[in-house]
């Protein structure tokens, strides 16, 4: 399958590491110019160095902005005002007892995990619609469907994204712009390693800790291992391409069979 995104410009939010960085690399390999986003300019430059080493022919644009705020969104729009592909990947997560999550923490998760994507969609979707082509993607999670007891605030924020994606897909109906959610399963990233060690013995080697985590906390997984970020990126690149022109308003799973459902 030949995916050619030459001439397209993409913005991947929260892309200085993990799934976001893998998506940025995948889109660049397909020929897109990719806006790489992070809050800290120094750390972002370090991430760009890694991406350029990984994809020597890739075209990357640094977008230093805290997209969890309206001011950060405005800064990003000044840096990269017009994109063809918007991948809303930015998100925070962490374990917390359900009854101890206060109002401020609930608001923080909503601002970063939901409103950040809403703001950018409001800005970019009208331009895409006027051109008659565009892709908007939200990186959701299996936690949107199977709410984890240890982080319900995260799960609920990802559930909201499914509604946001479906709603904006209706706004884009008939325009040539598609809007979709990607339901990512438990994925191997640096942040997830920290999360795993919140729940299992920190003295365990990583490979053993991962197996214990999946067995005790994610036993529904049919893959029975953490997903690699590149596996998420592969689906995102496809959904960003002209080949996915008939897929819109969908929540597409790349979850290792974690969600126990026969529907996508």
């Amino acid at each position: 399958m030949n995916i050619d995104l030459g001439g397209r410009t993409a913005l991947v939010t929260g892309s200085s590491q993990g799934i976001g960085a893998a998506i940025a690399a995948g889109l660049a390999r397909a020929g897109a110019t990719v806006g790489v986003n992070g809050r800290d300019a120094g750390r972002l430059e370090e991430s760009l160095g890694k991406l350029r080493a990984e994809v020597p022919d890739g075209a990357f644009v640094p977008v230093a902005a805290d997209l969890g705020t309206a001011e950060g969104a405005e800064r990003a729009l000044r840096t990269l005002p017009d994109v063809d592909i918007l991948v809303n990947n930015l998100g925070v997560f962490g374990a917390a007892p359900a009854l101890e999550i206060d109002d401020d923490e609930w608001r923080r998760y909503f601002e970063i995990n939901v409103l950040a994507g809403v703001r950018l969609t409001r800005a970019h979707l009208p331009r895409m619609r006027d051109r008659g082509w565009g892709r908007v993607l939200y990186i959701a999670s299996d936690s949107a469907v199977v709410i984890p007891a240890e982080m319900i605030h995260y799960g609920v924020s990802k559930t909201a994204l499914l509604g946001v994606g479906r709603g904006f897909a209706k706004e884009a109906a008939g325009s040539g712009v598609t809007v979709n959610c990607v339901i990512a399963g438990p994925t191997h990233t640096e942040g997830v390693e920290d999360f795993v060690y919140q729940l299992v013995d920190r003295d365990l080697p990583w490979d053993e800790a991962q197996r214990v985590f999946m067995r005790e906390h994610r036993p529904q997984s049919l893959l029975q291992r953490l997903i690699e970020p590149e596996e998420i990126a592969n689906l995102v690149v496809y959904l960003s391409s002209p080949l996915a022109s008939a897929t819109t308003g969908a929540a597409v799973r790349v979850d290792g069979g974690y969600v126990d459902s026969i529907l996508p």
Side-chain angles (χ1 to χ4, degrees):
M1 184 180 293
N2 181 28
I3 294 178
D4 182 4
L5 296 176
R8 302 294 187 186
T9 299
L11 171 62
V12 184
T13 69
S15 47
S16 62
Q17 62 181 350
I19 292 172
I23 292 170
L27 292 171
R29 285 193 192 93
T33 297
V34 183
V36 181
N37 164 246
R39 290 181 299 175
D40 182 87
R43 185 173 179 181
L44 181 58
E45 195 56 42
E46 181 181 340
S47 301
L48 284 165
K50 294 177 181 177
L51 283 167
R52 288 168 179 144
E54 185 178 348
V55 190
D57 296 332
F60 299 101
V61 178
V63 182
D66 180 359
L67 296 180
T69 67
E71 295 78 12
E74 291 172 3
R75 186 175 299 112
L77 287 166
R78 288 195 296 270
T79 304
L80 207 62
D82 197 6
V83 302
D84 304 290
I85 300 162
L86 172 63
V87 182
N88 295 294
N89 170 73
L90 178 66
V92 292
F93 66 94
L99 297 178
E100 296 178 14
I101 306 168
D102 63 21
D103 288 0
D104 287 341
E105 191 71 344
W106 275 102
R107 291 188 187 98
R108 185 172 79 92
Y109 271 68
F110 189 78
E111 283 280 350
I112 296 172
N113 291 3
V114 183
L115 276 182
V118 169
R119 289 188 190 103
L120 291 173
T121 303
R122 279 200 312 252
H124 289 296
L125 181 56
R127 298 185 184 98
M128 294 178 183
R129 196 167 50 186
D130 289 346
R131 279 196 301 270
W133 198 93
R135 299 289 184 262
V136 178
L137 290 154
Y138 301 91
I139 306 303
S141 166
D142 57 82
S143 296
V145 183
V146 185
I147 304 291
E150 72 276 7
M151 49 178 188
I152 67 169
H153 51 338
Y154 172 75
V156 168
S157 71
K158 292 299 185 176
T159 305
L161 278 187
L162 301 185
V164 166
R166 181 69 183 179
F168 278 124
K170 292 180 178 180
E171 180 66 22
S175 68
V177 179
T178 66
V179 184
N180 292 291
C181 291
V182 171
I183 297 181
T187 306
H188 180 199
T189 65
E190 182 180 338
V192 166
E193 287 194 17
D194 293 338
F195 174 66
V196 166
Y197 278 120
Q198 290 181 38
L199 299 174
V200 304
D201 186 351
R202 288 186 176 273
D203 293 330
L204 291 175
W206 168 246
D207 286 345
E208 185 178 351
Q210 175 185 202
R211 288 193 296 271
V212 170
F213 171 77
M214 295 300 288
R215 183 171 64 250
E216 295 183 358
H217 297 279
R218 300 293 186 269
Q220 305 97 313
S221 172
L222 303 182
L223 200 60
Q224 298 184 354
R225 64 166 173 83
L226 289 171
I227 299 164
E228 293 302 319
E230 292 75 17
E231 294 175 300
I232 309 294
N234 290 339
L235 178 59
V236 173
V237 172
Y238 166 72
L239 290 173
S240 299
S241 78
L243 300 178
S245 56
T247 303
T248 192
V252 186
R253 290 165 51 194
V254 56
D255 67 342
Y258 179 80
V259 177
D260 192 7
S261 170
I262 60 174
L263 295 175

